[in-house]
Every structure is written in C-alpha cells, then in structure tokens.
Amino acid sequence: MKMATDNSAVIRRNRPGAKAEMWCNWPVESFEEMDSTLAVQQFIQQTIRNDFSNIEAILTPPDGQDEGVWKYEHLRQFCMELNGLAVKLQGECNPETCTQMTATEQWIFLCAAHKTPKECPAIDYTRHTLDGAACLLNSNKYFPSRVSIKESSVAKLGSVCRRVYRIFSHAYFHHRTLFDEYENETALCKRFTSFVMKYSLMSKDNLIVPILEDQQALEGESEA
Amino acid sequence: MIDEGPGSFQGGQGGQVVTGSLGMVTKPQQDEGQRAQYSMPGILHFLQTEWARFEMERSQWEVERAELQARIAFLQGERKGQENLKQDLVRRIKMLEFALKQERAKYHKLKYGSDFSQEDIKPPIFEKKPEDEIIETERVNSPNSNASWRQGRQLLRQYLQEIGYTDTIIDVRSARVRNLLGLQPRTDNDGEGAQPALVNGEGLNKRSIDMGKARQGKKGPASLMEGALMDSEASVLATFDFLASEGVADDEDENLSDENEDGMAADDEAEERLEKSRPKIKIAGIESMAGMEDVDAEEALAEFDFLVNEASESGEGAGEARSHGDSPDWAKKDPNEEWGVDQQLISKLKEEYKKDRKGKKASVPGSAPGQFSGGSSRKRIEEDSIEAAIGVGLGELADLTVNNDADPMNYDISAPKEVFRKTWNAKYTLRSHFDGVRALAFHPEEPVLITGSEDHTLKLWNLQKTVPAKKAASLDVEPVYTFRAHVGSVLCLAVSPSGEQCYSGGVDATIRCWNIPNSNIDPYDSFDTNVLADTMIAHTDAVWGLSIHPSKMQLLSCSADGTVRLWSPGSKSPLLNTFTVDNEDGVPTAVDFVRCDPSQMVASYTSSNTYLFDIETSKEIVKLETKQNSESTINNQINRVVNHPTLPVSITAHEDRHIRFFDMNTGKMIHSMVAHLDAVTSLAVDPNGLYLLSGSHDCSIRLWNLDSKTCVQEITAHRKKFDESIHDVAFHPTKQYLASAGADALAKVFV
C-alpha cells in the first residue's frame, strides 16, 4: 500500500478472505490509468462487470486501441466465459444422448483437435474445442505477446470463432433451457454474435442462433 | 628381406661350399672351430648385406616414427584448438551472463531506485590460461630456442618432402586447424576470407625453397588479420544483436512491465556501444583488434592472442599455426646428426628471420617489440591496449579487468557462490489459462503440477510433455487435462499425499474433489465423469484456503464465511468439524496443519490475528502475536500462513510487506522482516525446511535462507493485472522444482 500513488489510494486487489460478493468489486479505473500490459483485458472485464448486458459498451474499444489486440482479448474472454456454458453442458449433455456435434440437422461437426478430425460426441467436441482454443490463444508461437499481435495470427481468430460458435448453436438447439438460463446470466451469445458481426469474423450464414433483433427480424421475414 | 639376406649369402657362396666341403673332408678335426668354409669375401659380403638391411629397416622405422610424431603433433594441435574454442565459448557465456546481470541491476535500479542488493554483481573473472600459453610460446620464440626450433622445422620439412608428404597436406592441415578454431573468415567476406588462406599457403610453399618469399608470408597474415578483424567485428555485432534481443526476451520472459520501452533501451544502448567501438577500430590499426573488445572483450582478447601468434608464426614463415605450441617438444628432439644439417643455412634462416622481424616491427609496432624483449613486454603491451580499449569503449563494463598476473588463486573465482548453492532459473512456462492463476500444487513425486485459475478451471500439467519454444531458454508446456466444474474463480488447491486426488476451493463456496487423471493421458480424450469425485458443500462464501493432512485423509478449509472446516473427503458425511473463534471479527484467510504435530492447525485472519487450534478439541490453544500494536487503520491482513516442516515455527505473509516468524509454543514472534516491495501473498517452505519461498504483488518471488533469514535469490516472475501480480508459490515435495502462479494467467516452473 505504500506503493499506491497519492492520487489513487485504491488498490484493486482480491485479498484472501474477501467475500464472493466483493470479488473484483472495486472502483472503475479509466483505461488511460491502466498502466499494465494487460490493460485491454482489465478494461474488457471491468466493462462487463459494470453491465454485462450493455453489449455496445463492451464492444467499444478505447481510443487508439489496436484492433488485433482488441479482438484477441475479447476472444480470450469469450472462451473463458464459455467454460461456464461447458460446465452446465457437462451436467446435461452426455455422450449417449448427443453422440455427435450437431446444431440443425444440416451439419455434423468434426472435432479438429485430433490428428484426423473425429466425430466426437457433443460434450467432447465442446471440451476439446475450448481446450484447443486455450492452447492456440496462449500459444507462444502465434500469440507471443498480448500487447501486439502479428497480422498472420489475427487471421487465426476467425477459425476459433467459427468453432466455439458451434457450442452456442448446439446448446441452443439441443439444450434450450440451459442455453436460456446461461444467456440470461451472461448475454454471452448475444455479445459473441455482435462481436463476430462487428469485426466480420464469421459469415452471417453461419450465425444460426437467432439471438439479435435484426437476426430475428430476418428470420421472421424469411418465414413470412 | 630377412629371407633374402641369408639367401643371397648362400647363393654367393655357392662355389665355396664345394671347396669347403672338400676341405672338411680332408681336415675335419682341425678346422672345425675356425669354420674354414667362411671365406673373408663371403663374410664381408654378408656384413654388407646385413648392414644394408639394417639401414633400410632403420630408415623405415624413422619414417614410421616421424609419421607418428606428425600425427601426434596434429592431434595435439587439434586438441589445443578445441580447448581454445571451449575457452572462448565459456568466456562468451560469462560475458553474456554478466551483461544480463547488469541489465537486470539497471532495470531494478530504474524501477525501484534502490540498488540490487542481494546478489553481488561481479564481472566475471576469466581464467588466465591464454596468457600462460603466450608465455610458453614466447619462450619458444625467443632467439635462443628459436634457432633449434627453426632447424627442426626445416629438417622436418625436408624429410617430409623426401617421403612425399607434400606441402599441400600441411596446408590442408593448418587450414583445418584454423577452421576448428573458427578463425577462418567465412561467407560474409568471401574475397577477403579466401585470400588469406591462399596467400598464407603460398608463403608456406615457397618458404623452404626461397627465403625471399618469407615476406609474402607476412602479407598473408596481414590480410588474415583483416579478415579476422571483419569476422570478429561481425561477431561483435552479432553479440550486440543478441544482447539487444536478450534484453527484449528477458523483458518478456521476466515480465518486466514496460516491454517496449525497455527493449528499445537495450537496443539503443547496443547501438551506442557500437558507435563507441567503431572509431576505435579506425584509428588504432592493428592494435584496434584489442580495441574492438567492447562488450565482447574476452572474445576479442582470444582473437588477439591468436593473431599475435599468427604474426610471430608468419615472421618465421610458418603457416602451420596451431601445432606450434606443442610441436617444439618433438621438433627439438629431432637430432641434428641424423642428417647432415647445414648450420650455415640455419644461421642464414635466423638472419632472415630477424630481418623479417625488424621489417615487421616498423609496420606493426604494437606487437613486434615483444618478440625481441621477451614475453613480459609483449604481455604488457597487450594489457595496455586492452585496458585502453576497455577504458574507452566499455562503459559500465569498465571495471572488468584482465589480470595478467596469472595468479593461480584467481582461477576459481569466476564461479562465485553458485558452487555452494543452487541458482533457480525459469525453465517451463505454463500458458493456457485465460485469467490469473490463483493456486498451484505439485504432485508428491512426479514432475506434474496442477494450477487453479480465475478462469474457473484447473489444469493438469506434465513437465515432461513440453512443446519446443521459440526461445531455447524456457520450454512451453501444454496442459494434459482441464478440470471444469467451478462456477467461479478457483482460489486454492491441495494435492493428496498419494498424488491420486486433488481438492480445489473457489469463489463459488464449493470444495471439489478430483481424481487426478494419468499425467500421460491424451489431452483430447473423451469426457470422464469420474474425474470429479465429489463436491463438498458447507461453506457459504468463497473458500480461500485448503490444507491437507500429511498422512490421514483429512482436509482443512477456510472461507470468507468466517469458518474453518475439517473434512474427510470420500466419506459419506465429509464434514467433520467446524472451527470458529469467539470475538474474532476477521475472517480466515489461510490455514495449515502443524507439520510436526498434525493434531494441531494454524489459521490466520484478515484481522491479522493467527490462532493455533487443537483439532481434537476444536479449541484454540495459542494466539500468535501476529497482531502488532499496529499502525491501526491500515489493512494489515495476513495473506498466508505456513508451518515449518519440522520445527514448531509458523511463518506469516502480511499485506504490509512483512514476513514474520512465530514460535508456536509460546506464540512469541521470533523474527520480522520487510520481505518485499509490496504485499506478500504467498509462502512455501522447501521439504527440507532450509529455504522459504515468498511471492508478492511486487512481481517478484524471493528465496530466503531460513537459517540466516537472508534473501538468496530474487526472480521477477509475473506481470501485474490491476494491482495483483503473484498469487501463489510452491516447492515440489521431492524434486528440484519450484513454481509461481501469476495474475498474468501464467504459471512458471523453475529448476
């Protein structure tokens, strides 16, 4: 605490013994004042904590923010929060009922985590995809730094998005109550959809979960 | 040949055999002792043939002997070459280590404004071996011994020519030796590089025939020196690059905060140094070879030595550089009388050589005088020029002295305290968590560890399954298993003494019991629901601390709900007991079994109180005097309490940067120290109870000698996220590993 500068006596720290409700419950710090190399992650998490449903605010980068890093840090956050959905799915989605990774009947997704892509059961697909994404996004080869990201590595983000989106779509089409419950708690799918559309990381045809209003409107039109 | 001798003898005596036998018939008794059948011419003939045979054999042996000696000399030269190479590399390593230490110290100074105290930075002191070699060489080179040396060489050369050992072979040999030494200039300056070898070789070829050509031999080394100069300049440049990138790499790895700024600084500095060294090269002519030794002083020194050798060699007109140091041994033994040696020729050679030297002296004042006045003066000159060079170009390395008083006592100082204690270095980087790593624990025997993170997962890592990393210094490890079940950050972790189960507590108030999968499992195996063995629910708030009984299946937990609980994982009703303290308004932050008496446990509180409990009676026995008559208002909570593995000592980590030691029997404080620049978050005692490891939000982990309570090593390990940096540290219970867990989502393992 002696380290704290005079103008900000606030120390943003989760000390041992802190109550769960006090977790990260500290005054907002402006992006300019964040001097750590993990400022972008801090900023994203802080904005989410403020109001997870305010997707526009969450997806608005601070001025002058490098877009590659911004997209990268958001994707890290998505994969991290998808762990929560995976935990829920572990309780409900078992290999007997969901033998394949499907959303609509149209496609069976093959798990890319293996040497030769495999028809993993949905829960394995979910876990493997998240594990694979964690390894890729933390890879020293592709993402050695969190303050600047190579152009070639930014290209990798699209494929990660496509794969993890299938977890949303599977949950939506096969475990709807679970999906709704989770969506109410986090608005994660909505945020993810807005994110990939904003940065054109996935083609609209692949966004099969009708979560955004304009998506639903489109759906309505096509049905009508 | 052996058969032939007697054969010819008998053949030659063919006619006499008849007479001999005739005589034998006539006077058998009388001539028996005299062997009348051996006529005088026969004997002479026999002796002649025998003599001829012996002579032939002798010359053959001579040939063989010389061949073997040449071979010995060559191998010795090769060995010497390898040794030089080794020394050079060792010097480079030491230089780099030193430079790195300097950078660290500087960074430390810049960042904290205080001196880097716990580790004395000493410039590496190098072995004086090369100097000794020079002295040896010089003894050989001094005029007296030089004559016999040259004589020997000449003889050898003649001899080799006789037996058809052409000069080209010698050239090839010397080229090879030079190549071994890495002196041969390569690629960058092809023209330059190829020429010296050629010219040198030419000088060598002509030398024995035409003494006038010796000058050309001098020309060779001159351009060779040039080549070597270019070469070593390039290597100096390369070293700068390396140092600069080292600066960046170090920065990244060690999590110094201002990545770019620091990297830039390193770059700038390297450039600055380069600029300093450049003009030096321009002005100083050949001497500037010593002047180049900026950062890479020692390397250049080695090269300088070598070049001086080369120069003296060329004066003699001999290109065969490396066998030089060794060959006198046998060259001197070459007896002159074996072949009639023209002494006049030798003295002529000597004169030629001296003349040559004088010519050289004019052109190369820096190195020549030493050739005449003996070893010491050259040594002095060398020293001077080196010191001058250091003084001008070395900047902060200026205090790196090259001590020429080859004092044998100096030899071992190069590795100061490292011999006596281990220095830990980051070896594995565990990246795969998306958010801060809150806890880590090692497997009791295997090189396996488990981490728990704010990303709600735990991961299992096998240190033997590494991914080759970009930088050779540290290895990346990918997790073999991800434990998912917590619905909030994982805060604490404990592994059972058997290594089969682990337990994790989190913000979600649950304690999860896991069956640890095999550490060689396929990371993308199918989901096994048996990994999560049990979920123990009783706490009503975040679980912040766990401690496992060293032998019984018992687990202690402490939670923000204000309770400490004792569990028996795996049984039907796992909760055994709940501990609370009357009149305690803080909540427990950490808990630990007393290692020397596991029927007791210690729990620390946010109120900075610490209590010793009897587990049987669930009563507090002693209140440790952890709460100082404090500066009141400031939060001085205890973040961690650990107990010594064998002594009744509790160690506490405080938010006010202190680590304090308490006697459990009396509750009195034994020792208190400001251990870090920011809050101390975590503690671990090594299995032998000799060292304490502490982690702090000041981004560093520190290793303490428990006996002297002094810091023996500090490692900057993690970056900050908000105001947090390091959450946990651990020792491997049986192997030489230690680990740190950081808010930057990384865990690191040190060996």
Side-chain angles (χ1 to χ4, degrees):
Chain A
M1 51 202 54
K2 301 261 161 64
M3 290 292 284
T5 48
D6 295 325
N7 52 359
S8 75
V10 185
I11 294 177
R12 293 172 177 83
R13 214 170 258 178
N14 295 303
R15 294 188 184 88
K19 308 259 183 221
E21 64 192 42
M22 296 304 288
W23 183 261
C24 293
N25 190 3
W26 50 62
V28 169
E29 186 176 24
S30 73
F31 185 73
E32 290 73 34
E33 280 169 33
M34 294 179 182
D35 54 358
S36 107
T37 48
L38 306 175
V40 183
Q41 186 189 25
Q42 291 179 18
F43 181 75
I44 291 170
Q45 290 183 343
Q46 182 176 277
T47 330
I48 293 169
R49 219 156 24 233
N50 271 353
D51 181 3
F52 68 85
S53 59
N54 188 350
I55 286 159
E56 208 192 317
I58 295 169
L59 294 182
T60 306
D63 289 341
Q65 175 57 44
D66 174 75
E67 196 176 286
V69 176
W70 179 250
K71 288 192 284 194
Y72 169 75
E73 287 292 344
H74 260 294
L75 194 52
R76 279 181 72 105
Q77 185 69 23
F78 282 122
C79 290
M80 178 171 136
E81 291 190 49
L82 268 166
N83 275 325
L85 186 58
V87 168
K88 280 191 189 316
L89 284 171
Q90 275 179 178
E92 192 180 304
C93 173
N94 62 57
E96 285 78 42
T97 55
C98 300
T99 54
Q100 294 166 330
M101 186 63 172
T102 53
T104 57
E105 295 308 309
Q106 204 180 351
W107 298 101
I108 297 169
F109 298 114
L110 298 184
C111 182
H114 311 273
K115 275 187 191 124
T116 49
K118 230 164 89 178
E119 252 184 61
C120 281
I123 187 63
D124 288 339
Y125 185 98
T126 303
R127 291 174 57 90
H128 296 171
T129 302
L130 289 177
D131 290 348
C135 285
L136 178 72
L137 293 177
N138 284 294
S139 152
N140 201 23
K141 187 175 163 197
Y142 297 111
F143 301 100
S145 160
R146 284 172 74 174
V147 289
S148 74
I149 289 175
K150 288 179 281 186
E151 205 50 49
S152 59
S153 300
V154 173
K156 298 248 172 239
L157 300 181
S159 66
V160 175
C161 287
R162 246 184 311 116
R163 291 199 184 115
V164 299
Y165 184 77
R166 290 165 192 162
I167 301 170
F168 286 118
S169 57
H170 175 78
Y172 180 82
F173 288 103
H174 296 270
H175 310 278
R176 184 63 186 270
T177 40
L178 186 152
F179 176 87
D180 287 343
E181 199 184 306
Y182 192 68
E183 192 61 20
N184 282 336
E185 289 168 19
T186 60
L188 194 67
C189 184
K190 204 173 174 187
R191 197 205 313 162
F192 189 84
T193 311
S194 308
F195 170 72
V196 292
M197 283 171 69
K198 179 170 179 181
Y199 295 103
S200 309
L201 289 162
M202 283 172 67
S203 78
K204 277 187 184 162
D205 303 341
N206 287 334
L207 298 169
I208 53 178
V209 180
I211 197 87
L212 300 179
E213 271 113 42
D214 55 334
Q215 267 182 314
Q216 280 158 343
L218 279 172
E219 197 109 317
E221 275 167 30
S222 60
E223 273 168 17
Chain B
M1 193 187 275
I2 292 163
D3 291 336
E4 212 184 315
S8 65
F9 166 65
Q10 265 172 2
Q13 299 233 346
Q16 283 155 13
V17 171
V18 182
T19 55
S21 60
L22 201 74
M24 212 156 67
V25 171
T26 51
K27 317 176 206 167
Q29 316 290 316
Q30 187 190 346
D31 289 327
E32 204 173 8
Q34 207 183 337
R35 297 271 174 210
Q37 68 267 41
Y38 295 139
S39 65
M40 212 37 206
I43 288 165
L44 279 175
H45 191 265
F46 172 74
L47 286 176
Q48 269 170 354
T49 46
E50 277 298 280
W51 169 249
R53 189 164 65 85
F54 283 140
E55 274 297 275
M56 228 141 125
E57 270 171 0
R58 190 178 130 183
S59 62
Q60 263 176 345
W61 292 332
E62 250 10 290
V63 167
E64 220 165 16
R65 176 167 163 243
E67 246 167 22
L68 289 173
Q69 278 170 336
R71 177 96 188 120
I72 288 166
F74 172 51
L75 289 175
Q76 279 174 336
E78 211 166 45
R79 205 191 101 213
K80 194 143 206 161
Q82 296 286 20
E83 269 168 7
N84 285 352
L85 197 65
K86 193 197 88 194
Q87 276 165 5
D88 185 46
L89 290 173
V90 166
R91 274 192 219 106
R92 279 170 190 243
I93 290 166
K94 282 179 186 159
M95 282 307 301
L96 289 171
E97 270 175 2
F98 176 64
L100 190 63
K101 274 184 194 158
Q102 287 279 11
E103 284 300 326
R104 280 199 186 133
K106 210 172 69 185
Y107 172 75
H108 193 271
K109 205 170 174 180
L110 282 175
K111 190 174 178 195
Y112 304 119
S114 65
D115 271 314
F116 194 68
S117 57
Q118 59 282 341
E119 227 177 33
D120 285 351
I121 297 163
K122 282 179 194 154
I125 298 161
F126 300 110
E127 296 181 19
K128 293 288 100 64
K129 204 77 181 290
E131 300 293 338
D132 290 345
E133 273 164 24
I134 289 173
I135 293 162
E136 231 174 81
T137 318
E138 278 162 1
R139 179 166 42 73
V140 174
N141 282 349
S142 69
N144 284 341
S145 56
N146 195 44
S148 68
W149 156 238
R150 284 190 58 74
Q151 216 170 314
R153 281 194 74 78
Q154 186 62 22
L155 274 172
L156 179 68
R157 190 163 290 278
Q158 268 176 357
Y159 175 64
L160 287 176
Q161 275 169 347
E162 260 170 47
I163 63 161
Y165 213 122
T166 60
D167 284 320
T168 45
I169 294 173
I170 305 168
D171 289 355
V172 166
R173 192 211 289 174
S174 69
R176 202 176 141 194
V177 173
R178 217 172 293 129
N179 209 9
L180 264 174
L181 285 164
L183 187 87
Q184 192 89 293
R186 287 184 205 109
T187 51
D188 286 13
N189 36 12
D190 264 343
E192 286 264 20
Q195 205 190 2
L198 186 81
V199 174
N200 202 26
E202 204 186 338
L204 187 88
N205 267 333
K206 302 263 167 77
R207 191 205 55 85
S208 56
I209 308 155
D210 184 356
M211 293 306 150
K213 293 277 178 178
R215 296 231 162 252
Q216 208 165 7
K218 202 190 95 198
K219 194 174 141 201
S223 57
L224 184 83
M225 280 180 215
E226 221 173 304
L229 194 127
M230 300 282 276
D231 203 34
S232 49
E233 189 180 14
S235 81
V236 169
L237 278 167
T239 315
F240 283 136
D241 285 349
F242 179 67
L243 277 175
S245 66
E246 183 80 4
V248 178
D250 179 40
D251 192 27
E252 260 175 65
D253 271 352
E254 306 296 335
N255 289 302
L256 310 181
S257 49
D258 279 335
E259 182 166 342
N260 290 331
E261 198 183 300
D262 207 76
M264 291 279 285
D267 274 330
D268 287 345
E269 203 174 323
E271 257 163 43
E272 206 175 68
R273 283 186 201 161
L274 255 186
E275 270 167 23
K276 275 185 205 159
S277 69
R278 278 259 168 69
K280 189 76 185 154
I281 291 166
K282 276 182 210 148
I283 14 165
I286 285 167
E287 261 178 313
S288 74
M289 275 181 291
M292 287 185 310
E293 344 164 316
D294 203 357
V295 163
D296 220 344
E298 290 313 310
E299 188 213 352
L301 171 65
E303 236 136 336
F304 183 76
D305 289 350
F306 183 72
L307 285 166
V308 172
N309 275 347
E310 193 71 26
S312 63
E313 295 271 357
S314 71
E316 294 160 34
E320 218 182 305
R322 283 313 85 197
S323 56
H324 179 202
D326 301 275
S327 38
D329 294 335
W330 60 271
K332 270 185 265 178
K333 273 186 242 150
D334 258 6
N336 283 353
E337 53 272 22
E338 279 222 2
W339 292 283
V341 174
D342 189 350
Q343 291 292 337
Q344 274 194 331
L345 179 69
I346 289 165
S347 55
K348 218 171 98 186
L349 281 171
K350 250 196 269 184
E351 262 175 33
E352 189 71 36
Y353 165 64
K354 279 184 180 169
K355 232 165 76 187
D356 208 276
R357 272 278 153 235
K358 266 175 197 154
K360 227 174 152 63
K361 188 183 176 184
S363 64
V364 193
S367 60
Q371 301 293 336
F372 293 107
S373 51
S376 62
S377 82
R378 187 165 82 174
K379 220 165 72 183
R380 180 177 47 75
I381 283 158
E382 212 173 277
E383 189 183 50
D384 287 347
S385 61
I386 288 162
E387 269 172 11
I390 290 169
V392 173
L394 219 48
E396 59 186 14
L397 293 180
D399 51 349
L400 186 136
T401 51
V402 179
N403 185 359
N404 268 355
D405 306 325
D407 180 359
M409 295 305 284
N410 281 348
Y411 284 8
D412 288 330
I413 299 175
S414 55
K417 288 155 197 161
E418 273 82 346
V419 183
F420 304 106
R421 67 167 177 81
K422 182 173 166 54
T423 305
W424 298 84
N425 294 306
K427 174 134 186 229
Y428 304 98
T429 309
L430 280 48
R431 28 179 121 231
S432 192
H433 280 297
F434 283 121
D435 209 342
V437 184
R438 275 275 164 186
L440 53 80
F442 276 103
H443 187 279
E445 277 123 34
E446 287 162 35
V448 167
L449 77 159
I450 300 169
T451 52
S453 162
E454 292 176 16
D455 68 8
H456 305 185
T457 66
L458 291 92
K459 284 178 196 268
L460 176 71
W461 311 79
N462 184 345
L463 298 180
Q464 284 166 333
K465 282 191 168 182
T466 55
V467 184
K470 190 178 63 180
K471 291 161 209 139
S474 89
L475 297 162
D476 276 9
V477 190
E478 282 188 3
V480 289
Y481 191 81
T482 302
F483 303 84
R484 292 185 174 85
H486 281 287
V487 290
S489 297
V490 180
L491 299 176
C492 50
L493 189 56
V495 176
S496 72
S498 66
E500 284 163 8
Q501 284 87 32
C502 77
Y503 310 94
S504 61
V507 174
D508 60 7
T510 62
I511 297 167
R512 309 274 174 172
C513 310
W514 309 89
N515 292 315
I516 302 175
N518 187 303
S519 58
N520 292 312
I521 194 179
D522 174 9
Y524 299 106
D525 210 346
S526 49
F527 177 52
D528 180 0
T529 50
N530 294 323
V531 171
L532 177 61
D534 199 5
T535 302
M536 303 194 293
I537 300 170
H539 284 298
T540 56
D541 211 324
V543 178
W544 277 99
L546 289 174
S547 175
I548 196 144
H549 193 284
S551 51
K552 275 195 272 184
M553 274 294 262
Q554 284 189 348
L555 184 74
L556 280 169
S557 67
C558 67
S559 159
D561 65 9
T563 61
V564 173
R565 292 177 198 264
L566 180 70
W567 307 83
S568 166
S571 61
K572 279 216 174 99
S573 51
L575 180 61
L576 296 178
N577 209 342
T578 302
F579 305 83
T580 49
V581 182
D582 300 330
N583 306 319
E584 171 60 53
D585 45 0
V587 298
T589 57
V591 65
D592 196 19
F593 277 103
V594 175
R595 299 290 150 183
C596 50
D597 181 5
S599 69
Q600 298 177 336
M601 62 106 167
V602 169
S604 60
Y605 284 73
T606 49
S607 56
S608 72
N609 286 321
T610 305
Y611 302 95
L612 181 69
F613 289 89
D614 186 311
I615 292 172
E616 299 294 314
T617 64
S618 69
K619 289 279 173 278
E620 48 176 292
I621 307 166
V622 179
K623 183 178 176 183
L624 304 184
E625 293 177 351
T626 42
K627 191 166 195 167
Q628 305 292 300
N629 39 356
S630 64
E631 313 92 63
S632 63
T633 54
I634 308 168
N635 174 7
N636 184 23
Q637 75 167 66
I638 298 170
N639 288 322
R640 188 67 65 91
V641 61
V642 294
N643 294 320
H644 193 278
T646 50
L647 303 172
V649 171
S650 262
I651 308 163
T652 52
H654 293 248
E655 187 77 11
D656 70 354
R657 303 173 295 151
H658 282 75
I659 294 175
R660 296 189 170 99
F661 301 79
F662 295 91
D663 183 329
M664 272 183 234
N665 297 323
T666 62
K668 297 268 183 244
M669 188 166 80
I670 304 166
H671 187 73
S672 173
M673 60 188 185
V674 176
H676 281 275
L677 300 165
D678 203 342
V680 186
T681 58
S682 47
L683 295 172
V685 185
D686 88 314
N688 301 318
L690 299 175
Y691 292 99
L692 173 74
L693 185 64
S694 64
S696 159
H697 288 319
D698 69 2
C699 302
S700 72
I701 60 173
R702 291 184 179 190
L703 189 66
W704 305 85
N705 184 328
L706 272 179
D707 192 32
S708 61
K709 310 280 194 297
T710 53
C711 180
V712 289
Q713 195 180 354
E714 183 196 28
I715 307 168
T716 305
H718 295 278
R719 293 166 202 232
K720 277 201 167 190
K721 184 193 165 198
F722 287 110
D723 291 312
E724 298 178 320
S725 173
I726 292 167
H727 290 307
D728 202 5
V729 291
F731 272 104
H732 193 289
T734 50
K735 288 194 158 51
Q736 292 280 303
Y737 292 113
L738 54 85
S740 64
D744 56 1
L746 301 179
K748 290 187 177 182
V749 176
F750 304 82
V751 293

